[in-house]
């Protein structure tokens, strides 16, 4: 396994870039698809941050007169069965979907990094046990594990984040462990040991930063899969409960019921999910190409 | 090879044992058990009757004893009884297996049929318009929620043909039966083929950069010969591993697709059983899924070794 | 006022005569064919006595017979629409304390064993928890609280002995929930492979997949049933189910499963389909935990009841298709509903919502709440759309009286344990009444200590009135008593009724002889008169 100097790669990648715009411009030239992904993600983040300003109405306000109202100038994307504005719900939904996506990715990554690092760096019986746990978690398809987790925790925002985070752990742990194993053998670790640095400090100060690049690549990909998993869980009635306007919830059984009379209830949230995941995937691909030259195509 | 196999099988058994414990404990953390659900339909809970039911189902025993009973039964080939239907769990699960297997097989065929050739084209024509279109298409395939895609396909199908491709025990004709399986299989397979395409593409690109391909080119072999004879035959190996990855990926898609198309397979059954807190069904189904995933991965690894003479497992 | 004789004299024979004549069919019914219906979910078992949902009644009622039954082609269930089934006639004793049934002879169970009075006794002994064989659960045990004993007098006569007169016992016996079970089949077998005397034999029940019934060729009623069989395909996903109905994969939707907006969809996509929208005798209600502060304050509960804009609920959830009333289903579909002139006088039922809310706000302000001080509360409800949707509207309406509600969705299987434990403050609930009769509604939902009295409302004076109306043999006098009780229940904010649901059923025009009942969703599924015009 050849060690990679990620810092150098990153610097090189952004060699001529100055500031965010320069970076974006650079990305656009070298990774046009990645730039598209970045723009999509920026839009989603923008919607989530400024939902109050762009929603135009209360996503929870019900109205008899607006029940299943089609898209109009007043209600751009129509209204749902309870007369709630779909545009407002999608905008606020960005907040929830992003919170679930980022929350579960962060949680899963944090635990994954911790055990991956411990496993790779400490080796021995720690490694052995961690590997078995990872095997166990990985032998179950993500959705199956998330389903059982969600059912046993009960439906809530926090529990959904946990249910999606746990299945992510093994993927992160695997990657971090492999990188740690490679890094452990490098001369600078030897050097750090020689000057009497503690094992813990070496792991956190020297090894962890060097695993960041593959982690970013992986986390970006997982973000999309977390958003999709939340949607599937909600569709199966085990995700985010009402009245939170998550995109998955909006697509769940009660909305799907009106798919023929009010297709906007199903089409727009579906597009929102697909677009957001598409954005993370494009971005993830580009980041991988930039940060992980072994995989570069 | 024999030693490697032994080690792998031992690890596999260990993993499966771990899964059985995890699932068993997780299920018992769930608030409310099957007795609650069964009483739910009655609109009231009679504590004495509920306790009676729990005793009858053995839910009042210590969790270790319950686990022991399950494992003991499994070793004797007894999967226990469904709490809800009172019937042996095996009798509930077995008839649903071929339905899901057919669907999964068709979806897999679909994904390979489209994914591999498109992946090759995309790699060979790297950075051309075709490559970009195919990459965007495959990425968007992976970005759509499987149930959403299924619902759209179902609606479109009914709107255009008037025929609804949902499962029927007694299909009117062979054509109907084909549709009933192939439309949902296409919904699942679309996403899988996107995955296959991406993996084929990157594996193909890897091979195209290898020295022997350059050598073949230098020796004056025609471009198609290089691409398809030399490169593809080498790139196909990693693609086999995709099937291993897909086993897990497919199951996720099957769960929601079987729900949308009302297919009475094991994947939908799992969701229903979770809802009912029908532990014997959930436990055994999850174990079954784990066994499938683990065994498929083992077979893929072995296949890899058999097909690729450079790899020798021994450690 | 002479209806009394209709009820209590031994007029069974006369009714039997009317029954024999049967409904006048518009065309000559045709034999044969399989009726295909989709089913909304998988019932827990095939044993009607152990279930309390029409998910079990609808597919399995055709397997059985009752002693007496609501006339299947009369839309409104009432004491007048009860006809004999396994009983050929019935009579009350002079003191109204014994009810004797003369039983049909020559009837056989589906396994060939002859039906006798012993089976009647066995069935009710089990329901009253008096037999060694037990049901796994027995949700309607309270229906027979007033019965001391059921005796078999010879092979073909059975007698019910009562503690006090209860003319409405007959109404309970005529429900789809009251089939006669065989003595010789265990409760466990009845859950998986039910045996009855009815027009259809059980073929198969596959959990979450399908339920199949086949014609009983030896049915005691000659020439019935018309159908060769009935097949229920279980499709929990409603959009898929409706799509399948429109694509003619099914002859009929699951009864009462088509909501108002979906009905419009069906009408647009399949204009030939016959759709009926009828009350189901299921009501949406507000439950407030009167043991939990601050909701132990009567004024607070009253303010909450005052703020309900019932019409807004109906308009949003059902495009105006719903009925406002008290506990009993409103007239004319309901027999016992409060007349509008009484209903109008009950607080919160007046037409001026804003005035009601102003009054509610005053009550709240008196309690110290106001624009600056809101009351935060969790609104618990079950995690299914029919519960969740009205709960969302409720939260929206409570905002007007300084109450900030937050929806607390309870997993469906835990709902009743949560409610029974009193582990909620405010909840949104649905209550279904199998029989449009005050005896069922009042005792079950409002008597002190009843398992389904979720709010623990307890009023001993009113309970005396429950008994009085139950014993009353004069229909008009009983109605007056029932109105009095219903009015007081609403004024006491025992369990504010928001509205009574109407639900739709659709079938293709070649399905004939099916009558959708207007005051119960539980009693009209014997299916023996249904035929297919193909």
């Amino acid at each position: 396994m050849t060690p990679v100097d990620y810092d150098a790669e990153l610097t090189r990648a952004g060699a001529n870039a100055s500031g965010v715009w320069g970076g974006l411009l650079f990305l656009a030239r070298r990774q046009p698809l990645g730039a598209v992904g970045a723009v999509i993600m920026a839009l989603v983040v923008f919607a989530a941050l400024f939902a109050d300003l762009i929603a135009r109405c209360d996503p929870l306000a019900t109205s008899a007169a607006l029940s299943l109202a089609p898209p109009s100038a007043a209600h751009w994307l129509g209204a749902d069965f309870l007369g709630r504005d779909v545009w407002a719900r999608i905008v606020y939904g960005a907040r929830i979907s992003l919170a679930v996506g980022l929350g579960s990715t962060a949680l899963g990554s944090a635990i994954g990094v911790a055990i991956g690092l411990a496993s790779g760096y400490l080796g021995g019986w720690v490694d052995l046990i961690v590997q078995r746990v990872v095997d166990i978690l990985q032998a179950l398809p993500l959705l199956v594990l998330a389903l059982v987790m969600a059912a046993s925790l009960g439906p809530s925002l926090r529990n959904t984040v946990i249910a999606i985070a746990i299945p992510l752990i093994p993927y992160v742990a695997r990657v971090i462990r492999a990188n740690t194993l490679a890094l452990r053998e490098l001369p600078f670790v030897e050097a750090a040991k020689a000057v009497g640095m503690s094992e813990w400090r070496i792991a956190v100060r020297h090894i962890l930063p060097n695993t960041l690049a593959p982690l970013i690549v992986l986390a970006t990909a997982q973000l999309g899969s977390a958003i999709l998993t939340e949607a599937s869980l909600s569709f199966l009635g085990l995700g985010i409960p009402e009245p939170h306007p998550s995109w998955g919830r909006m697509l769940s059984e009660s909305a799907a019921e009106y798919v023929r009379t009010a297709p906007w209830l199903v089409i727009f949230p579906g597009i929102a999910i697909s677009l957001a995941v598409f954005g993370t995937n494009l971005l993830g691909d580009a980041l991988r190409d930039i940060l992980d030259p072994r995989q570069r195509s | 090879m024999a030693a490697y196999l032994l080690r792998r099988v031992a690890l596999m058994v260990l993993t499966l044992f771990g899964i059985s414990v995890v699932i068993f404990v997780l299920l018992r953390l769930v608030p409310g058990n099957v007795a609650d659900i069964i009483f739910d339909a009655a609109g009231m809970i009679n504590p004495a009757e509920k306790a009676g039911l729990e005793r009858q189902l053995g839910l009042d025993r210590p969790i270790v004893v319950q686990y022991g009973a399950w494992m003991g039964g499994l070793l004797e080939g007894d999967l226990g009884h469904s709490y809800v239907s009172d019937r042996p769990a095996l009798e509930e699960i077995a008839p649903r297996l071929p339905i899901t297997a057919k669907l999964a097989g068709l979806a897999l065929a679909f994904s390979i049929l489209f994914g591999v050739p498109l992946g090759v084209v995309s790699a060979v024509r790297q950075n051309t318009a075709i490559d970009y279109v195919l990459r965007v298409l495959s990425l968007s395939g992976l970005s759509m929620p499987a149930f959403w895609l299924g619902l759209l396909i179902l609606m479109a199908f009914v709107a255009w043909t008037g025929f609804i491709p949902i499962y029927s025990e007694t299909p009117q004709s062979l054509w109907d039966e084909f549709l009933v399986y192939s439309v949902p299989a296409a919904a699942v397979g679309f996403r899988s083929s996107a995955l296959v395409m991406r993996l084929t593409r990157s594996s193909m690109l890897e091979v195209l950069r290898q020295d022997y391909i350059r050598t073949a080119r230098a020796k004056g072999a025609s471009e198609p010969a290089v691409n398809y004879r030399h490169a593809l035959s080498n790139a196909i190996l990693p693609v086999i591993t995709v099937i291993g990855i897909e086993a897990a990926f497919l199951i996720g898609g099957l769960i929601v697709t079987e729900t949308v198309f009302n297919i009475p397979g094991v994947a939908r059954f799992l969701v229903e059983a979770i809802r009912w807190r029908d532990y014997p069904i959930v436990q055994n189904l999850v174990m079954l899924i784990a066994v499938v995933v683990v065994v498929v991965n083992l077979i893929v690894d072995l296949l890899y070794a058999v097909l690729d003479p450079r790899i020798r497992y021994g450690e | 006022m002479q209806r009394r004789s209709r009820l209590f004299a031994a007029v069974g024979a006369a009714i039997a005569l009317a029954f024999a004549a049967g409904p006048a069919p518009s065309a000559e019914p045709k034999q044969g064919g399989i009726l295909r219906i989709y089913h909304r979910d998988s019932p827990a078992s095939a044993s009607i006595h152990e279930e309390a949902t029409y998910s079990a009644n609808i597919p399995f009622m055709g397997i059985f017979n009752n002693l007496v039954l609501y006339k299947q082609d009369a839309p409104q269930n009432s004491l007048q629409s009860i006809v004999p089934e396994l009983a050929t006639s019935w009579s009350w004793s002079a003191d109204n304390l014994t009810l004797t049934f003369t039983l049909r002879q020559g009837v056989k169970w589906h396994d060939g064993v002859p039906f006798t009075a012993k089976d009647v006794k066995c069935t009710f002994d089990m329901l009253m928890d008096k037999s060694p064989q037990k049901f796994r659960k027995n949700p309607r045990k309270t229906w027979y609280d007033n019965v001391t004993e059921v005796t078999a007098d010879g092979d073909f006569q059975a007698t019910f002995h009562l503690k006090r007169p209860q003319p409405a016992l007959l109404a309970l016996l005529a429900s789809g929930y009251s089939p006669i079970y065989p003595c010789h089949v265990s409760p466990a077998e009845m859950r998986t492979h039910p045996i009855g005397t009815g027009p259809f034999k059980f073929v198969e029940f596959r959990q979450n997949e399908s339920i199949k019934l086949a014609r009983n060729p030896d049915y005691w009623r000659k020439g019935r049933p018309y159908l060769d069989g009935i097949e229920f395909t279980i499709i929990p996903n409603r959009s898929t189910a409706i799509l399948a109905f429109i694509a003619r994969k099914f002859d009929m939707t699951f009864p009462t499963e088509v909501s108002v907006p979906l009905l419009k969809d069906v009408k647009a996509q399949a204009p030939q389909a016959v759709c009926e929208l009828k009350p189901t005798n299921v009501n949406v209600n507000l439950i407030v935990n009167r043991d939990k502060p601050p909701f132990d304050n009567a004024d607070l509960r009253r303010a909450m009841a005052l703020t309900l804009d019932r019409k807004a609920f109906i308009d949003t959830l059902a495009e105006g298709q719903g009925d406002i009333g008290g506990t009993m289903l409103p007239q004319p579909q309901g027999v016992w509903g409060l007349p509008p002139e009484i209903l109008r006088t009950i607080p919160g039922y007046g037409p001026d919502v804003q005035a009601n809310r102003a009054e509610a706000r005053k009550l709240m302000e008196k309690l110290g709440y106001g624009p600056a001080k809101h009351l935060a509360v969790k609104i618990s409800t079950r995690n299914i759309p029919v519960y969740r949707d009205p709960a969302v509207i409720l939260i929206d309406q409570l905002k007007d009286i300084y109450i900030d509600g937050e929806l607390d969705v309870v997993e469906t299987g835990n709902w009743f344990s949560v409610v029974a434990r009193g582990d909620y403050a405010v909840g949104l609930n649905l209550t279904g009444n199998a029989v449009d009769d005050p005896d069922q509604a009042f005792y079950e939902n409002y008597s002190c200590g009843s398992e389904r009295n979720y709010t623990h409302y307890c009023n001993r004076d009113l309970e005396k009135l429950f008994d009085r109306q139950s014993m009353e043999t004069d229909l008009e006098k009983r109605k007056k008593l029932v109105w009095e009780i219903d009015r007081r229940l609403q004024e006491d904010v025992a369990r504010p009724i928001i509205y009574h649901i109407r639900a739709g059923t659709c079938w293709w025009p070649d399905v004939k002889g099916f009558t959708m009942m207007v005051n119960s969703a539980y009693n009209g599924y014997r299916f023996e008169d249904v035929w297919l015009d193909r």
Side-chain angles (χ1 to χ4, degrees), chain C residues 74-266:
Chain C
Q76 189 186 49
N77 296 174
S78 70
L79 283 169
Q80 290 76 45
S81 76
I82 294 173
V83 293
E85 219 181 7
L86 282 177
T88 50
S89 66
W90 64 85
S91 64
W92 287 93
S93 64
D95 59 2
N96 288 332
L97 285 176
T98 56
L99 173 59
T100 306
F101 291 95
T102 306
L103 303 180
R104 197 172 293 279
Q105 306 198 8
V107 176
K108 281 196 164 63
W109 294 99
H110 292 160
D111 56 4
V113 176
F115 157 79
T116 68
K118 272 202 205 69
D119 296 307
V120 178
K121 181 175 166 49
C122 277
T123 302
F124 290 95
D125 279 355
M126 271 209 285
L127 284 168
M128 293 186 286
D129 217 0
K130 282 185 179 168
S131 82
Q133 289 204 318
K134 302 272 183 226
F135 287 129
R136 205 150 78 158
K137 50 182 173 160
N138 190 358
R140 281 172 298 280
K141 193 177 153 195
T142 52
W143 280 17
Y144 307 101
D145 278 352
N146 185 40
V147 179
T148 46
E149 196 190 5
V150 174
T151 51
D153 326 312
D155 275 353
F156 299 103
Q157 186 176 310
T159 306
F160 284 64
H161 303 268
L162 276 57
K163 291 178 193 154
R164 58 163 174 79
Q166 186 190 9
L169 180 64
L170 216 50
L172 302 178
L173 295 178
S175 159
Y177 271 144
S178 310
I180 300 300
Y181 273 20
C183 270
H184 64 281
V185 181
S186 74
E189 282 172 85
M190 293 301 282
R191 286 197 290 273
T192 51
H193 195 289
I195 300 281
T197 54
F200 295 95
K201 286 185 173 184
F202 175 85
V203 176
E204 182 178 50
F205 171 22
R206 287 200 225 165
Q207 285 290 332
N208 297 310
E209 195 178 332
S210 63
I211 297 168
K212 288 189 190 138
L213 310 182
R215 183 174 195 271
N216 172 11
D218 307 316
Y219 191 44
W220 52 267
R221 202 172 152 202
K222 292 294 156 239
R224 300 289 159 82
Y226 296 123
L227 297 169
D228 285 339
I230 309 177
E231 275 182 26
F232 294 87
T233 303
I234 296 164
I235 307 187
N237 188 310
R238 265 205 206 175
S239 47
T240 306
I242 289 281
L243 218 52
F245 171 75
I246 291 170
R248 293 207 82 145
K249 205 165 162 67
F250 297 105
D251 303 307
M252 195 176 197
T253 67
F254 190 65
T256 75
E257 253 318 87
V258 189
S259 65
V260 175
L262 281 182
L263 211 62
K264 267 206 330 211
D265 182 21
V266 174

Side-chain angles (χ1 to χ4, degrees), chain C residues 70 201 218 251 309 318 346 393 399 409 426 451 483 526:
Chain C
Y70 287 111
K201 286 185 173 184
D218 307 316
D251 303 307
D309 181 356
I346 300 173
I393 296 176
K399 268 195 243 162
V409 178
V426 177
E451 276 154 339
W483 292 346
R526 196 67 90 214

